Amino acid sequence: MTPRLLALVCTASLCLVACNQPGNANGQSAADAPVAGAPAATTATAPAAEPATSDARPFSAIEVAAFDEPWAMAFLPDGRLLVTEKKGALKLVDLATGKTGDIKGVPEVDYGGQGGFGDIALHPQFASNHVVYVSYAEAGDGDTRGGAVARGTLALDDSGGGTLQDLKVIWRQVPKVDGRGHYGHRLLFGNDGKLWITSSERQKFDPAQDMQSNLGKLIRLNDDGSVPADNPFADKGGVTAQVWSLGHRNLLGIDFDAQGRLWEVEMGPQGGDELNLIERGGNYGYPIVSNGDHYDGRVIPDHDTRPEFNAPKTWWTPVISPSSLLIYSGALFPDWQGDAFIGGLSSQSLVRVEFDGDTAREAQRFDMGQRIRAVEQGPDGAIWLLEDGKGGRLLKLAPR
């Protein structure tokens, strides 16, 4: 029996159990998560390292605060931290005291499944203009919804809270569809001041290849929501002009490395979570190719059968369920400078990835014992994590 066929047989056996379980806290079916005790990840370049035990961790994990379904965080210049909660709350955390305040004026969100309040990002000139960007699930006509991004001004008060003012939507997923899965809507600013938005395919498959839709795409915009003239499809107009790359499934992490290259991590279907090096105008193949298969057992051809599509630089079967991506540049963990860190949901892990040029491999996996929703680098070089779900903790990772 070939390795590929053996993997399919094993996956089908696991799916008989997993596919009959209710959805998990992430709004995906339990089949999105590997069964406890599943083997270590398979990657495209090298076998994964054995997961690190808690005793082997080179860091301590310090609990700072806890939240109700936290989703994202962003550090302010003064060292305080903004944290979004999925039901539609924005919190301001004073890390020195642990005190948490409320930010009012948050947009109304369509909460349910994977939908709700999402990411938050600061404008590159936040210190002078106080502009922030938020993403969230927005209700549409009938039983439809889609991701949206709005920008506004953050006005802080003297009591440890504040207000979002003059909030204006600058981008929406097109079209709005039914269902409550695969919004994506991670936000990132590049050094050129352009805004990047991950727009997942909303569990509808085909829109990832449809250039009349911005679903299943990586989006690049100016800070006001307009389209940069150097986008690869700018001359096509409409939502097509927003697109930088296509053929994605559920994009949940993006970051730049020190060489200015953009990396993206996304959930695969039944297997095949991907770490991609993003190329201008690139097509990453979903749902035509994937290193995983459909949950109903239908086989999706692997990337190596269609070389015209961009293949992942590393991939995971069983899945890790990536939630977020950080490429580390701090000084507290000098041996990790330039490495990527991926928050794992079903794998309840923090995955470290090493790069060699434009190749990548899993180097280490830390068992965190909880679903990890977000990973960020703090001003002092510490690594910060948000656990998923009700009571999700904010953890500071610092050297032992």
Side-chain angles (χ1 to χ4, degrees):
M1 182 178 292
T2 66
R4 168 68 169 165
L5 183 56
L6 177 60
L8 289 174
V9 170
C10 293
T11 297
S13 299
L14 294 175
C15 195
L16 288 175
V17 176
C19 289
N20 288 309
Q21 301 303 313
N24 62 25
N26 193 40
Q28 61 199 44
S29 72
D32 274 317
V35 173
T42 298
T43 74
T45 55
E50 288 296 321
T53 65
S54 57
D55 291 339
R57 293 176 183 173
F59 55 78
S60 57
I62 304 163
E63 180 180 346
V64 177
F67 302 91
D68 183 10
E69 295 186 77
W71 208 90
M73 55 183 152
F75 285 91
L76 295 175
D78 65 8
R80 288 185 290 180
L81 184 67
L82 294 169
V83 176
T84 66
E85 292 182 337
K86 196 171 151 189
K87 290 181 180 178
L90 181 58
K91 302 293 185 178
L92 177 63
V93 186
D94 186 328
L95 298 176
T97 64
K99 180 181 177 182
T100 299
D102 294 315
I103 303 295
K104 301 175 183 178
V106 174
E108 183 177 354
V109 306
D110 189 295
Y111 171 77
Q114 295 176 21
F117 201 17
D119 211 351
I120 183 163
L122 308 185
H123 189 279
Q125 281 80 53
F126 174 85
S128 58
N129 65 19
H130 309 295
V131 172
V132 299
Y133 295 74
V134 294
S135 69
Y136 56 100
E138 176 187 60
D141 295 332
D143 187 28
T144 66
R145 52 203 61 84
V149 175
R151 60 173 272 169
T153 302
L154 178 63
L156 300 177
D157 58 35
D158 294 331
S159 62
T163 306
L164 283 181
Q165 300 176 344
D166 303 320
L167 208 62
K168 178 183 178 182
V169 175
I170 63 167
W171 179 82
R172 287 183 165 98
Q173 285 184 322
V174 177
K176 285 184 168 65
V177 298
D178 60 4
R180 286 189 162 91
H182 293 191
Y183 294 92
H185 58 40
R186 284 285 181 193
L187 307 175
L188 176 70
F189 273 98
N191 289 334
D192 60 358
K194 305 304 182 188
L195 173 63
W196 297 82
I197 306 169
T198 69
S199 179
S200 300
E201 44 71 80
R202 297 286 279 108
Q203 296 178 313
K204 302 303 180 185
F205 309 104
D206 294 338
Q209 294 293 328
D210 180 2
M211 292 299 281
Q212 302 307 308
S213 166
N214 58 18
L215 304 181
K217 316 293 194 306
L218 183 59
I219 305 300
R220 179 177 179 258
L221 302 175
N222 294 317
D223 64 350
D224 62 358
S226 62
V227 173
D230 60 343
N231 271 12
F233 309 105
D235 61 333
K236 305 298 183 183
V239 296
T240 307
Q242 304 171 357
V243 175
W244 187 265
S245 63
L246 63 147
H248 299 286
R249 187 175 182 264
N250 192 14
L251 314 85
L252 283 169
I254 47 173
D255 204 1
F256 286 95
D257 65 19
Q259 291 72 44
R261 296 172 298 194
L262 183 59
W263 295 83
E264 172 268 332
V265 65
E266 64 187 76
M267 289 187 177
Q270 182 77 5
D273 287 348
E274 298 181 2
L275 178 65
N276 292 304
L277 177 58
I278 297 300
E279 294 183 358
R280 182 180 186 272
N283 187 336
Y284 291 78
Y286 192 77
I288 300 170
V289 293
S290 172
N291 289 346
D293 293 310
H294 291 297
Y295 287 111
D296 62 9
R298 287 176 296 144
V299 173
I300 306 174
D302 285 354
H303 276 88
D304 59 12
T305 67
R306 296 289 297 272
E308 69 270 30
F309 295 120
N310 294 57
K313 297 301 182 181
T314 195
W315 53 276
W316 290 266
T317 298
V319 297
I320 58 172
S321 300
S323 67
S324 46
L325 176 67
L326 164 70
I327 297 181
Y328 184 74
S329 61
L332 280 188
F333 298 98
D335 292 342
W336 291 348
Q337 287 180 354
D339 291 354
F341 288 87
I342 300 170
L345 292 167
S346 65
S347 58
Q348 299 188 353
S349 64
L350 181 65
V351 177
R352 182 171 69 89
V353 173
E354 290 181 343
F355 298 107
D356 183 5
D358 63 358
T359 65
R361 70 174 189 93
E362 178 178 331
Q364 201 168 17
R365 188 182 303 192
F366 301 105
D367 181 3
M368 302 306 299
Q370 297 290 333
R371 293 161 57 87
I372 302 302
R373 172 55 66 183
V375 54
E376 288 286 349
Q377 181 176 313
D380 65 350
I383 296 173
W384 293 77
L385 306 181
L386 281 174
E387 295 176 343
D388 193 41
K390 189 173 181 61
R393 297 177 299 170
L394 172 67
L395 302 176
K396 179 182 180 180
L397 308 187
R400 286 185 180 275

